[in-house]
Amino acid sequence: MKVGVLALQGDFREHLKAVADCGHTPVDVRRVSELHEVDALILPGGESTTIIHLAQNFALFQPIRDAIAQGLPVYGSCAGMILLADRIVDGVKDQKTFGGLDITVRRNAFGRQVDSFESDLTFNGASLHAVFIRAPWVEQIGADVEVLSTAADHAVAVRQGNLLATSFHPELTEDLAVHRYFFEEICKGR
Amino acid sequence: MSEATGTARVKRGMAEMLKGGVIMDVVNAEQAKIAEDAGACAVMALERVPADIRAQGGVARMSDPDMIQKIQAAVSIPVMAKVRIGHFVEAQIIESLGVDYIDESEVLTPTDYTNHIDKWNFKVPFVCGATNLGEALRRINEGAAMIRSKGEAGTGDVSNAMTHMRTIGGEIRRLTSLREDELYVAAKELQAPYALVKEVAETGKLPVVLFTAGGIATPADAALMMQMGADGVFIGSGIFKSGNPAQRAAACVKATTFFNDAKVLADVSRGLGDAMVGINVADIPVPHRLAERGW
C-alpha cells in the first residue's frame, strides 16, 4: 500500500519511517499529484496553523477535504488531530481545518511545553507508552465517533469511519501499534 | 496514570514538531501576529533584534517578562525567549513564565565565560548555538534539546551560517567513516563526550534537531540552509528589518517547505521589496563577532 504523509511542516520524517517499518511504501505529499497517488494519508505533528497556511497556499486544502469526503483513510497525530476536527476551540481566529471527524478539539489543552508529558495508557485494549507535546484533547464527540484511548478524563484517540486521530505522537516511540491499527483496521479493504 | 514531564523525550520531541518550519524574531505582539499569520512555526520574543543590538551596543539581556507575556497572549504558536550564556537565573525567570523553549544565546552578552547553563535542571527545553560538532555535543551533554548552527546574527550575511553548517555536516560525515577504535581519539579531538561521539558515528546525525540561524534574509537563503541539511531555520532581523515583513515572512515559510523546488523559490522571491541592508561579516572587527561567543 502507498501511504502518503503530508510533508509541509512537522515531524513527517518520523511518520514516513513508521510507514516503512510497517512494510508499506511511504510517499511525501506536498502536491495534489502526490495526494492522488496514495491509498492512505497521515497528517503529522507540527504547527497546525503553519500546515493549514501552506496547504491553502499550495492548493492542497480543498483536494484533501475532497479526498476525506470520498473515503480516503486518514490518520492525524496531534496537529493532525486538530486538522481533522470539525470544530476547534482556542485556535487562532477563524482557523480552518480539513475536518471530517465529528469532534471538538481544544488546542494546547494540556498546557504549554513545560506541561508536555509521557504516560502509559490503553489504546484499543492494549497498553501503550504515549508522548504528549503541547497536546490537544477531544472535548466533545459526535454519535458516530468511537473513543480508543483516554487521558485525564478526555478522549485522546478517536476513530470515525475512515478517520483516526490521536493527541499523542506514536511516531516518536518505537511502538507501531497505532500505525498498525490504522493500516489493519481502517485501511484494509478500501 | 503516571505522568512524566520535562523528560529528554518531550523536550527533544517538541523540537521535532518545529521541523521544516521558520522561527521568527519578534519584538512585540503585532509582529508576533504577522509572523503567525505568515505561517511561522514559532516566534522568538526579544526586545531588540540582533541588528539593533549590534547598532546600539551596550549589554544585551533577557527581555522584560511583560513584553514576553504580551506575545504569549497574542499567538497560539510556541513562544521562545533568549537568556544570556550561563545566566541560569534569567532561565529560571523565563521558565516560570511558561515559555515553550529557551535560547541560551550568544546574541545576548555572555554572563559566564567558562560554563554554560546546566540545562538538565529545567523542565523547559533549551536550544543552543554551535559553530562545530564538538560545541554542539558539549551543549547536548549539558542538556540542550535542540541545536542551531550559529551564523553572524544581525548582518543579513549568510556566509557564516554556511561555514558552520558545512563544518558540522563535514565533521558528522567524517565520524561515520572512522573505525570504532578510532572514536576515542575523535572524542578527544572534538572535546566532546565519547558516548555522544559514538552515537553520532552510528546514526550519522545529531541526537537532536538541528536548525540554522544567523544572517538569513531571503527565501533563497532559507532554502540554501535546508539543502545543506538544516531541519529548519531561525530568521532574526531579516524579516522585520525588510521593506515588506508580512510578504517576506510568508515567502520564507514557503521556501523552507519547498526548498528543493526552484520554480516555487523563484515565485516566492518575486516582488518582495527591499531586503535588510545588512553588513558584510568581513567588515565586522573580530571582537564584535557574536558567533565566536560560546565555549
Side-chain angles (χ1 to χ4, degrees):
Chain A
M1 191 165 63
K2 274 185 161 185
V3 180
V5 180
L6 190 64
L8 297 175
Q9 191 271 325
D11 71 337
F12 50 86
R13 276 208 302 266
E14 284 65 26
H15 276 295
L16 289 163
K17 181 174 181 300
V19 169
D21 289 348
C22 289
H24 298 290
T25 309
V27 180
D28 291 44
V29 173
R30 292 188 186 84
R31 294 178 179 76
V32 174
S33 57
E34 292 158 344
L35 175 67
H36 290 153
E37 271 176 34
V38 301
D39 305 305
L41 181 67
I42 295 176
L43 308 177
E47 273 310 307
S48 58
T49 51
T50 303
I51 296 171
I52 279 291
H53 176 85
L54 287 162
Q56 287 179 314
N57 273 282
F58 289 92
L60 273 168
F61 184 75
Q62 196 57 42
I64 290 176
R65 283 180 74 105
D66 294 345
I68 290 170
Q70 286 157 19
L72 182 74
V74 183
Y75 163 46
S77 68
C78 195
M81 171 187 264
I82 296 167
L83 297 174
L84 284 175
D86 281 343
R87 298 168 298 278
I88 48 179
V89 276
D90 274 5
V92 297
K93 192 167 172 285
D94 302 325
Q95 183 171 347
K96 288 208 168 88
T97 65
F98 300 128
L101 260 179
D102 183 9
I103 56 175
T104 304
V105 164
R106 180 173 292 278
R107 279 187 77 196
N108 306 332
F110 286 99
R112 296 182 182 278
Q113 172 59 18
V114 288
D115 307 307
S116 292
F117 64 100
E118 28 187 323
S119 159
D120 293 320
L121 48 77
T122 304
F123 174 81
N124 192 36
S127 171
L128 182 86
H129 189 69
V131 180
F132 294 79
I133 295 174
R134 282 170 49 92
W137 67 39
V138 179
E139 201 131 297
Q140 177 261 325
I141 61 169
D144 298 333
V145 178
E146 182 188 350
V147 175
L148 301 170
S149 296
T150 56
D153 297 329
H154 287 277
V156 292
V158 292
R159 178 206 175 155
Q160 181 186 7
N162 54 319
L163 304 178
L164 172 70
T166 62
S167 302
F168 52 89
H169 293 281
E171 73 278 12
L172 291 185
T173 67
E174 303 298 311
D175 192 335
L176 294 169
V178 176
H179 289 87
R180 289 226 168 87
Y181 176 89
F182 177 56
F183 299 135
E184 285 161 20
E185 303 294 326
I186 296 185
C187 298
K188 200 181 254 177
R190 284 178 194 271
Chain B
M1 188 175 70
S2 66
E3 285 185 8
T5 56
T7 62
R9 180 136 64 184
V10 299
K11 289 173 169 179
R12 293 178 182 186
M14 167 77 210
E16 304 283 348
M17 300 310 140
L18 301 171
K19 283 190 303 193
V22 182
I23 300 166
M24 300 181 194
D25 278 5
V26 297
V27 301
N28 56 43
E30 291 98 69
Q31 289 188 354
K33 273 309 288 175
I34 291 171
E36 181 176 55
D37 291 344
C41 68
V43 291
M44 177 74 69
L46 73 178
E47 276 172 347
R48 297 186 287 172
V49 295
D52 290 332
I53 292 173
R54 203 176 270 295
Q56 295 161 8
V59 175
R61 308 178 178 91
M62 75 165 190
S63 299
D64 186 329
D66 265 350
M67 172 267 177
I68 293 171
Q69 287 186 316
K70 277 182 195 152
I71 288 174
Q72 287 176 304
V75 295
S76 66
I77 57 177
V79 176
M80 301 185 171
K82 289 183 193 287
V83 301
R84 287 180 269 176
I85 290 174
H87 205 313
F88 48 85
V89 172
E90 283 191 350
Q92 291 162 6
I93 293 169
I94 298 290
E95 180 180 50
S96 79
L97 303 178
V99 158
D100 296 298
Y101 238 93
I102 292 182
D103 184 0
E104 186 182 17
S105 177
E106 71 284 359
V107 168
L108 305 184
T109 307
T111 305
D112 187 330
Y113 284 87
T114 308
N115 304 288
H116 283 246
I117 295 171
D118 180 355
K119 294 166 274 286
W120 297 113
N121 285 337
F122 292 81
K123 278 198 172 176
V124 64
F126 280 73
V127 55
C128 287
T131 57
N132 57 51
L133 180 59
E135 196 179 356
L137 296 181
R138 288 194 293 280
R139 295 297 86 77
I140 293 166
N141 194 45
E142 294 156 3
M146 177 179 182
I147 294 293
R148 54 173 173 74
S149 69
K150 293 178 188 171
E152 195 51 38
T155 60
D157 179 347
V158 80
S159 64
N160 268 24
M162 189 68 173
T163 303
H164 301 145
M165 281 303 290
R166 282 206 188 272
T167 303
I168 293 169
E171 288 172 331
I172 290 173
R173 286 189 295 277
R174 176 172 176 274
L175 278 190
T176 63
S177 71
L178 294 182
R179 283 166 50 103
E180 214 173 310
D181 62 3
E182 293 166 339
L183 294 175
Y184 302 101
V185 171
K188 183 194 76 175
E189 288 168 354
L190 288 166
Q191 299 177 50
Y194 170 75
L196 288 173
V197 169
K198 188 160 183 287
E199 186 179 347
V200 172
E202 282 166 2
T203 61
K205 63 185 202 54
L206 288 181
V208 302
V209 167
L210 173 65
F211 268 50
T212 188
I216 295 156
T218 69
D221 290 348
L224 177 70
M225 291 297 127
M226 294 299 286
Q227 289 198 24
M228 287 300 298
D231 289 320
V233 299
F234 284 84
I235 306 185
S237 320
I239 288 175
F240 290 99
K241 288 288 171 190
S242 74
N244 188 343
Q247 193 187 346
R248 182 166 296 267
C252 289
V253 169
K254 292 174 194 166
T256 302
T257 295
F258 289 88
F259 64 88
N260 263 331
D261 187 329
K263 202 171 159 297
V264 171
L265 297 176
D267 282 344
V268 303
S269 298
R270 286 174 212 279
L272 286 181
D274 296 333
M276 70 180 282
V277 176
I279 316 166
N280 296 307
V281 173
D283 296 339
I284 302 173
V286 173
H288 297 289
R289 293 188 191 171
L290 305 177
E292 291 167 29
R293 294 169 169 178
W295 16 93

